[in-house]
């Protein structure tokens, strides 16, 4: 199988799952896979994604999805080809394999086993992870009904073979998932009746009847009513044919039940419980429940045991193996077997002494039984293996703080912390509804860990004068949070300490040092920097800590601490070895390399590294560098703040310089300002004028991006003065370029032209090719804004050549959009739109969000000038809707103006759009958009005054 759609939408190659992309891209893949080998039109793909309301540029978006899918599929040797009426995917798809297996089974001598093999291909809800319209929902419903039809067919074959007991578990789960499917209910009733459970069969009918009446207002159909009447009168005709009746099961001697009390305030875990019941019903065997200390594994296993009681009439056995119990050694397998055998009623005189003899006695005693065994708090797989009975009718639930991958045949089920809503519900159940206000913040401070929530609730319950707010105030102080989460002999820190003490000394050191990581999550490279270990050893240590549930892994190859575990790690005694500075040097080294890829030809100085890292990720091309920044961005912001707290000035200076470009192109403006201001402050503390000039340059550009133009001019002017006083032409050129941008936004076009022209003059004979290309492009953009179209074309054409010469693809994208806008105003609409689409696609490809937004605005204007008013309206409306959610005031002002012009051309009211543009442009002093808004509102005299002040010909 290469493509999977019978569950989550997946691509497989060589045993590895490849990234299928965003939810809407998965929708395109799902529809192509559903019709594998056949051509699917672009219209049909768009309908599946958006229904009857596709976005303005829907055709281009679909082509983009297909293009990205081609890149993903290429390593697997799969292709999306052009085939009438659109695209076709040539691949092996699980759905088509399923249909082939079903057809083969129907023509075989043993259809039951063939149908079962086909059904095993289903992994969940079809198209899971894909986002689409009602069309995709209809396709999903159709496949679900197709599966249910095959399930019903398989069950009917099983019943003919006398396997009524074996199908009850599967039918119970299916009836819970599809409660209105009367055929399934009828099959379950028949299986229960044949298993001697007539009362349960009748109850199932009554539940179905009430559900249909309450939810749908209908009665059961004739077939189900007739079956009910036959079960009611115990019709002998419902029994299986005598030849098919299986041998009578071995009757159990007794039905012991040593499950602990099911706590009444157990909360949540509905999906996990459903999954466990499904596993036990479907295959029995061993289910290994793992999770971090305090996550509620024992309570969950006990709740599951009580829920499963009716399936195991021959006994429910419970043993605490004390793998992680204070002041207790783990129970040996031999001792545990003694407990289990006594639970079965064997007198002590009949229980042999040795481990092997006890295992044999245990498995003999369990032969033929249908019993459930709960082995709680296991230390490792070796402790559990001898305790697993051999009877296929038995099931075992094991709980442990560590994963047990070497427990043969065990199906893992990991418990995470509770969702916020369920954690709050648990807290209220512990303390009572009347003391609940403020519970949301309290459970958040507990990290949604059930043990922490219960302990917090117990503290509050035993202190009637406290309010939730009082406890929240105490928990907000990180250094005392763990000490606050303790009552009597129960405490979160104590539970964590037990897990920590089970580690080998080398792994304890890694755990302590990882706690110093300043950010959100980390990979093996960062862990190697923190610990000083070679990357393979660091990777092994991370996996070991993950197995012990002392780390979490929400995405592949990335690890993180639970908040309370991080605090525990920081509070442990042991040498720290400057680990945090090592990891900051690591982030600086990679950011420097990645920015060189994103910004070819940038001015750079190799950073000063006190601890050069031994292991670095590959960031040698645009996709890799962009992907690294996207994942590590929160860590890089945290790294600057941590370096500032630690007083490592070189890192506070250098980290912002090597992360700022990514923040600009990805529009992370708030983080950009915070980090660049920190960088300038550090440079001033170091007292180096040349370094101050460079930081002033970065901060001035940051203020430009933040639409704080006057503040930007002040910093750029200061930068220019420092650069000139030092005779530093490099910094002078950059200061002039940034001043030009700021003057242009403020409507000071003459000053903007002079700054860019002077920068080109200064650096044209140097190797500063990137700066020259940008400044030439800026001269073209100023000419375009001023209405000098011939000059705009000349400058932008020159800038395009220079950008391509140095592979500055972001600038190339911007210049293409500028050329498209120029052609549009010259009336060459076909060429204009070609340039605009090319620039937009390139901006998307290189991940420059800023240029993508600008390109979309220019595209809307290009369609307007070409007379494509409906398309222009759709694009402009979509851009406005997207920008209203963010902080890009300058682009939003431009977008409102374009939308207003489109609305005016369509003859619909446009004043609201122009008013919005005017308010935004006035607020930030964006003079050209202010003038456009005034003209749109019909305030011609005011607009003309602004145009004259800028020297713009209108």
């Amino acid at each position: 199988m290469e493509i999977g759609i019978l569950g989550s939408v997946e691509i497989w190659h060589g045993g590895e799952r490849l990234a299928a992309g965003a939810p809407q891209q998965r929708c395109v893949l799902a529809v192509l896979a559903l019709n594998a080998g056949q051509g699917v039109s672009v219209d049909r793909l768009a309908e599946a994604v958006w229904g009857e309301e596709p976005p303005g540029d829907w055709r281009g978006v679909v082509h983009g999805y297909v293009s990205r899918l081609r890149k993903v599929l290429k390593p697997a040797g799969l292709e999306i080809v052009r085939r009438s009426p659109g695209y076709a995917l040539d691949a092996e798809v699980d759905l088509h394999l399923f249909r082939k297996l079903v057809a083969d089974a129907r023509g075989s001598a043993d259809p039951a086993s063939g149908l079962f093999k086909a059904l095993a291909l289903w992994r969940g809800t079809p198209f899971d992870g894909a986002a689409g319209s009602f069309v995709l929902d209809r396709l999903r419903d159709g496949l679900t009904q197709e599966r249910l039809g095959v399930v019903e067919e398989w069950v009917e074959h099983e019943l003919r073979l006398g396997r009524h007991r074996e199908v009850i578990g599967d039918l119970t789960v299916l009836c819970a998932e599809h409660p209105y499917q009367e055929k399934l209910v009828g099959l379950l009733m028949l299986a229960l009746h044949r298993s001697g459970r007539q009362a349960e069969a009748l109850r199932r009918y009554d539940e179905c009847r009430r559900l249909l009446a309450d939810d749908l207002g209908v009665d059961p159909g004739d077939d189900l009513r007739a079956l009910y009447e036959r079960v009611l009168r115990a019709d002998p005709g419902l029994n299986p044919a005598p030849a098919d009746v299986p041998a009578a099961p071995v009757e159990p001697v007794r039905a012991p039940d040593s499950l602990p009390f099911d706590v009444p305030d157990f909360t949540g875990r509905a999906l996990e419980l459903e999954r466990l019941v499904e596993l036990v019903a479907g295959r029995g065997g061993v289910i290994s429940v793992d999770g971090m200390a305090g996550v509620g594994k024992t309570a969950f296993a006990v709740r599951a045991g009580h829920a499963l009681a009716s399936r195991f009439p021959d006994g429910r056995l419970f043993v605490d193996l004390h793998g992680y119990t204070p002041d207790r050694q783990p129970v040996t397998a031999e001792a545990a077997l003694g407990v289990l055998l006594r639970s079965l009623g064997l007198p002590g005189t009949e229980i042999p002494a040795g481990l092997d003899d006890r295992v044999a006695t245990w498995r003999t005693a369990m032969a033929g039984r249908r019993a459930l065994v709960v082995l709680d708090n296991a230390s490792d797989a070796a402790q559990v293996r001898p305790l697993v009975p051999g009877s296929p009718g038995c099931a075992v639930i094991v709980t442990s703080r560590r994963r047990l991958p070497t427990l043969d045949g065990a199906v893992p089920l990991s418990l995470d912390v509770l969702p916020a809503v369920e954690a709050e519900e648990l807290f209220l159940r512990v303390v009572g509804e009347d003391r609940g206000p403020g519970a949301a913040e309290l459970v958040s401070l507990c990290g949604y860990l059930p043990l922490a929530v219960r302990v917090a609730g117990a503290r509050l319950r035993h202190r009637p004068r406290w309010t939730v707010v009082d406890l929240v105030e105490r928990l907000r102080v990180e250094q005392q949070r763990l000490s606050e989460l303790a009552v009597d002999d129960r405490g979160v820190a104590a539970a964590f300490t037990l897990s920590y003490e089970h580690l080998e000394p080398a792994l304890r050191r890694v755990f302590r040092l990882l706690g110093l990581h300043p950010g959100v999550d980390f990979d093996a490279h960062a862990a190697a920097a923190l610990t000083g270990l070679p990357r393979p050893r660091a990777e092994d240590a991370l996996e070991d800590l993950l197995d012990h549930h002392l780390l979490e892994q929400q995405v592949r190859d990335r690890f993180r601490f639970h908040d309370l575990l991080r605090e525990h790690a920081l509070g442990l005694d042991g040498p720290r070895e400057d680990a945090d500075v090592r990891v900051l040097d690591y982030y600086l080294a990679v950011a420097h390399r990645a920015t060189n890829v994103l910004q070819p030809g940038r001015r750079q100085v190799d950073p000063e590294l006190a601890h050069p890292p031994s292991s670095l990720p590959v960031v040698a091309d645009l996709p890799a560098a962009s992907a690294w920044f996207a994942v590590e961005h929160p860590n890089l912001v945290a790294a600057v703040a941590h370096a500032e707290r630690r007083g490592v000035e070189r890192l506070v200076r250098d980290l912002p310089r090597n992360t700022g470009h990514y923040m600009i192109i990805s529009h992370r403006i708030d983080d950009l300002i915070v980090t660049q201001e920190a960088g300038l402050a550090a440079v001033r503390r170091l007292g180096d004028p040349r370094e101050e000039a460079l930081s002033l340059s970065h901060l001035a550009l940051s203020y430009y991006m933040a639409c704080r133009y006057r503040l930007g001019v002040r910093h750029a002017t200061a930068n220019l003065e420092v650069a000139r006083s030092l005779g530093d032409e490099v910094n002078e050129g950059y200061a002039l370029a940034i001043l030009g941008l700021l003057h242009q936004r403020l409507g000071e076009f003459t000053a903007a032209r002079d700054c860019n022209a002077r920068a080109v003059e200064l650096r044209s004979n140097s190797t500063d090719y990137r700066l020259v290309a940008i400044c030439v492009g800026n001269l073209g953009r100023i000419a375009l804004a001023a209405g000098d179209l011939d000059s705009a074309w000349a400058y932008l054409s020159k800038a395009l050549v220079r950008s391509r010469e140095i592979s500055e693809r972001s600038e190339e994208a911007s210049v293409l959009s500028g050329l498209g806008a120029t052609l549009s105003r010259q009336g060459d609409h076909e060429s204009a739109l070609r340039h605009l689409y090319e620039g937009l696609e390139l901006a998307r490809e290189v991940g420059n969000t800023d240029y993508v937004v600008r390109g979309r605005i220019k595209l809307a204007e290009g369609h307007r000038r070409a007379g494509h008013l409906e398309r222009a309206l759709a694009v402009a409306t979509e851009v406005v809707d997207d920008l209203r959610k963010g902080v890009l005031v300058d682009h939003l002002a431009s977008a409102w103006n374009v939308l207003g012009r489109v609305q005016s051309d369509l003859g619909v009211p446009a004043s609201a759009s122009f008013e919005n543009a005017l308010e935004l442009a006035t607020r930030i002093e964006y003079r050209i958009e202010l003038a456009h808004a005034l003209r749109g509102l019909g305030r011609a005299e005011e607009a003309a005054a602004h145009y004259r002040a800028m020297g713009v010909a209108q």
Side-chain angles (χ1 to χ4, degrees), residues 444-666:
S444 173
L445 291 168
C446 292
Y448 309 114
L449 184 68
L451 174 60
V453 173
R454 285 185 179 280
V455 170
R459 289 205 71 188
L460 198 62
R461 193 175 61 223
H462 289 95
R463 287 166 176 76
R465 290 189 178 87
W466 281 18
T467 66
V468 174
V469 174
D470 294 325
L471 187 52
V472 164
E473 289 295 332
R474 300 172 76 93
L475 293 177
R476 279 179 182 155
V477 181
E478 288 188 13
Q479 294 78 2
Q480 67 182 42
R481 189 175 301 167
L482 285 174
S483 62
E484 292 290 338
L485 292 173
V487 175
D488 298 330
D489 63 340
R490 298 185 74 196
V492 176
F496 290 165
T497 298
L498 282 169
S499 295
Y500 175 73
E501 289 176 348
H502 273 72
L503 303 176
E504 295 294 325
L507 204 52
R508 293 183 192 178
R509 172 183 174 270
V510 172
F511 178 74
R512 289 195 308 272
L513 295 182
L514 290 175
L516 295 173
H517 187 274
V520 178
D521 61 0
F522 43 85
D523 62 7
H525 296 287
L530 273 163
T531 61
L533 295 172
R535 187 179 62 80
R537 286 181 58 196
E539 202 165 45
D540 290 343
L542 291 172
E543 292 294 339
D544 286 344
L545 291 171
L546 185 67
D547 285 343
H548 283 275
H549 285 283
L550 290 169
L551 288 178
E552 300 173 347
Q553 188 176 48
Q554 295 183 336
V555 296
R556 183 178 177 182
D557 297 331
R558 298 202 65 83
F559 303 82
R560 63 188 300 162
F561 277 104
H562 183 276
D563 289 347
L564 296 178
L565 269 171
R566 182 192 297 276
E567 291 171 31
H568 185 68
L570 287 170
L572 292 167
D573 293 331
R576 301 298 179 180
E577 311 164 18
D578 254 1
D580 55 338
V581 180
R582 285 202 301 262
V583 81
L584 296 181
D585 272 335
Y586 159 77
Y587 282 122
L588 175 56
V590 187
H592 178 73
R593 292 187 178 200
T595 301
N596 288 345
V597 174
L598 296 183
Q599 243 188 323
R602 71 172 181 135
R603 54 175 173 162
Q604 57 168 307
V605 177
D606 289 338
E608 177 188 341
L609 300 173
H611 308 281
S614 60
S615 174
L616 295 171
V618 177
V619 289
D621 55 28
L622 271 171
S626 299
W628 185 84
F629 268 121
V631 170
E632 298 289 0
H633 172 77
N635 292 328
L636 294 168
V637 176
V640 175
H642 186 79
E644 195 170 22
R645 286 193 300 272
R646 284 277 268 123
V648 188
E649 302 290 20
R650 64 177 178 83
L651 288 165
V652 188
R653 174 196 66 201
D654 291 345
L655 277 165
R657 293 176 180 176
N658 289 280
T659 58
H661 178 71
Y662 173 75
M663 294 184 192
I664 285 174
I665 66 174
S666 61

Side-chain angles (χ1 to χ4, degrees), residues 20 51 125 160 236 324 331 335 340 406 545 571 672 683 721 752 780 877 909 920:
T125 304
R160 290 191 194 103
Y324 296 85
V331 175
L340 289 167
T406 60
L545 291 171
L672 176 71
V683 165
E721 291 170 355
T877 302
L920 295 172

Side-chain angles (χ1 to χ4, degrees), residues 39 50 140 164 324 383 409 485 593 676 689 787 796:
W50 298 290
R140 181 183 288 118
H164 32 270
Y324 296 85
Q383 186 188 27
L485 292 173
R593 292 187 178 200
Q676 296 297 339
L796 290 168

